[in-house]
Amino acid sequence: MSATGCKSGDILVLIARLIADMDGVETRLDAAMKACAAADMPVAMAGMLDFCGDVLQLSLPQGDHAALTATLIEHFGDCDLLVADHEIEVPRLFVSDMDSTMIGQECIDELADFAGIKDKVAAITERAMQGELDFESALRERVGLLEGLEEGAIDRCLGERIRPVAGARTLVATLRSRGCRTVLVTGGFHHFADPVADQLGFERVVGNRLAVAGGALTGLLAGPVSDASTKLATLQEERARLGEGARVLATGDGANDIPMMAAADYGVAYRAKPKAREAANGRIAGESLTSILKLLGIPESEWTDDVANA
């Protein structure tokens, strides 16, 4: 099987590219194509990309995103995939969540561990990310529990606990090398997001600010809350600057990432909560964010982690 791309046009409604376990791929592909045809989603073309040998591309003249995704997952397992209604392009804007997306931790949960209340705070975080709690109320409640914690705990937490996920720096640097603007927008805090952005190469940071007085956290926020609406507004603002036709990539893992992922051309849920995963047109089930580069059709020979020269 081989594919070099597909022709965009009125009949091209969906493109799906996925990274699959290559064992038995032809058998599973045949079964998936039959299932798609039975669901009135005939596959017009299928093949492995010539320059990215573990990426399977499917082109369909018609279909439903949710139904197509469900069919692919049924036949290929919990794979990485991206569905689009146009020829997939390298985006000109990348907007990403931070906690559990660009880094493997939830900063407020790790910070709460220094105050001896991680379990209590983490339980609230999980419910908020699942979409079971109002984000702002949950955020203010958790920040309030940190009142009195010395500010120095933030630096210790950064040094001891906070680590980028696999492929994060390569994803950002490679996209920047291709002319893509990169923005980190988080419901977390600038105390963490600013150094993380510097490490990974993001050009702009939007987030919340912890109020500090006398060398300790006050239990309050300084300034407006950065939430789901902030993430969406940031994406829309940055997209408007680039002009009409600029493709946008957004990544996240929780309920407050849904609006910005839904507004993006490529909304990719990274190891995400169910609601976020179902709302996105792309998903990464594996650990490395470099899977996104494969799904965008960027050959590994062109990847870089050199942020300074991106």
Side-chain angles (χ1 to χ4, degrees), residues 20-35:
D21 173 7
M22 300 307 294
D23 183 36
V25 65
E26 291 196 25
T27 300
R28 286 179 288 150
L29 174 59
D30 183 61
M33 290 175 65
K34 289 178 180 177

Side-chain angles (χ1 to χ4, degrees), residues 14 33-43 60-64 67:
L14 294 171
M33 290 175 65
K34 289 178 180 177
C36 286
D40 195 28
M41 298 186 296
V43 176
L60 300 87
Q62 62 189 34
D64 172 76

Side-chain angles (χ1 to χ4, degrees), residues 4-15:
T4 57
C6 50
K7 183 179 179 181
S8 231
D10 292 339
I11 65 168
L12 182 60
V13 177
L14 294 171
I15 300 173

Side-chain angles (χ1 to χ4, degrees), residues 9-310:
D10 292 339
I11 65 168
L12 182 60
V13 177
L14 294 171
I15 300 173
R17 292 176 176 176
L18 62 156
I19 298 171
D21 173 7
M22 300 307 294
D23 183 36
V25 65
E26 291 196 25
T27 300
R28 286 179 288 150
L29 174 59
D30 183 61
M33 290 175 65
K34 289 178 180 177
C36 286
D40 195 28
M41 298 186 296
V43 176
M45 184 276 286
M48 309 306 296
L49 292 185
D50 287 339
F51 54 84
C52 196
D54 56 357
V55 176
L56 173 65
Q57 176 175 291
L58 307 178
S59 297
L60 300 87
Q62 62 189 34
D64 172 76
H65 159 252
L68 175 59
T69 298
T71 299
L72 295 175
I73 295 298
E74 178 183 354
H75 292 278
F76 290 96
D78 198 10
C79 56
D80 304 340
L81 62 84
L82 178 62
V83 178
D85 61 359
H86 54 269
E87 186 79 15
I88 294 174
E89 308 168 26
V90 176
R92 291 181 58 200
L93 172 64
F94 174 40
V95 181
S96 181
D97 174 47
M98 180 178 71
D99 292 40
S100 297
T101 303
M102 285 291 127
I103 60 174
Q105 302 76 35
E106 292 287 333
C107 289
I108 193 167
D109 296 356
E110 299 304 322
L111 189 58
D113 201 20
F114 286 83
I117 54 172
K118 181 175 181 178
D119 289 348
K120 185 175 183 179
V121 169
I124 301 172
T125 299
E126 178 65 17
R127 292 188 64 195
M129 297 309 293
Q130 293 282 4
E132 298 174 2
L133 299 175
D134 173 72
F135 178 82
E136 180 174 349
S137 299
L139 176 65
R140 292 189 184 279
E141 179 181 358
R142 286 173 291 165
V143 171
L145 293 171
L146 299 177
E147 182 180 2
L149 182 65
E150 61 176 23
E151 187 178 14
I154 295 174
D155 289 336
R156 296 204 309 275
C157 185
L158 267 167
E160 297 174 14
R161 306 285 182 89
I162 306 306
R163 298 290 183 270
V165 302
R169 184 181 174 94
T170 300
L171 173 62
V172 176
T174 301
L175 289 176
R176 284 188 62 181
S177 75
R178 302 291 288 261
C180 179
R181 177 163 168 77
T182 57
V183 180
L184 187 66
V185 56
T186 177
F189 312 109
H190 276 278
H191 279 90
F192 293 94
D194 290 345
V196 166
D198 287 342
Q199 180 181 2
L200 299 183
F202 282 93
E203 298 164 88
R204 180 187 176 191
V205 182
V206 178
N208 292 298
R209 295 189 183 277
L210 291 165
V212 178
L217 304 187
T218 67
L220 301 172
L221 294 171
V225 170
S226 176
D227 57 10
S229 63
T230 307
K231 294 182 177 188
L232 175 59
T234 300
L235 183 150
Q236 292 172 330
E237 171 196 335
E238 291 282 351
R239 171 187 267 158
R241 290 177 180 173
L242 292 174
E244 187 176 353
R247 297 295 184 196
V248 178
L249 166 68
T251 59
D253 73 299
N256 67 328
D257 299 313
I258 291 175
M260 75 170 181
M261 289 197 296
D265 298 282
Y266 313 126
V268 179
Y270 173 74
R271 301 174 68 87
K273 303 297 186 290
K275 288 184 179 180
R277 190 169 60 243
E278 291 165 8
N281 64 351
R283 61 176 67 187
I284 302 298
E287 293 185 3
S288 181
L289 284 170
T290 57
S291 291
I292 295 176
L293 297 175
K294 292 185 177 183
L295 296 175
L296 292 173
I298 302 176
E300 191 168 350
S301 61
E302 298 179 12
W303 298 358
T304 180
D305 60 3
D306 187 357
V307 173
N309 294 315

